[in-house]
Amino acid sequence: MSAEPLVIEFEVGVRPAQAFDTWTRRCATWWPASHTISGDPSAITFEPRSGGRIVEHAPGGGEHDWGTVLDWEPPTRLRYLWHLFFERTQATEVEITFIPVADRTAVRLEQRGWERLGEAGPSRRSRTQAAWSSLAAGFISACDAGPQPSAG
């Protein structure tokens, strides 16, 4: 079974370095608590290297793995295996590029690997598309708000 990659594209009003930083270092400032495992993370971290973990830190000290960084290329590209809410064996691949456009950034998110999920792939892709569209709005707002102290 094959499923087309999911692609979300939008622009933010900051340069690529700030957009990359907002996605990776300031994730907890724009990622909705309702779309986390703990429901109230104290931090969300991307370990800044290939092989690094993407981790939700719960208020009580627990950790929940969301994925694994495959490529860490600031400020233009990030690629990772993603399994938030699913077993690691059900991970899909997310690639995000941050391309300069004057003093703005074109952001392109592509998520692929739906075919690995068998018959569940198409419906999961559809649900995920709606989620990423909503999450993109939060990311755009966080970029517009400007640099803030890192929340994790």
Side-chain angles (χ1 to χ4, degrees), residues 53 65-68 81-83 86-92:
R53 297 183 315 149
D65 283 344
W66 288 9
T68 304
L81 288 178
W82 184 248
H83 56 81
F86 297 95
E87 295 296 320
R88 204 176 295 267
T89 58
Q90 296 179 19
T92 54

Side-chain angles (χ1 to χ4, degrees), residues 54-100:
I54 304 167
V55 181
E56 173 187 335
H57 301 271
E63 293 184 346
H64 306 285
D65 283 344
W66 288 9
T68 304
V69 174
L70 299 173
D71 298 309
W72 182 267
E73 300 172 9
T76 59
R77 184 172 171 269
L78 175 66
R79 187 172 66 98
Y80 47 87
L81 288 178
W82 184 248
H83 56 81
L84 174 61
F85 301 125
F86 297 95
E87 295 296 320
R88 204 176 295 267
T89 58
Q90 296 179 19
T92 54
E93 182 179 302
V94 174
E95 181 173 10
I96 306 157
T97 55
F98 303 89
I99 306 301

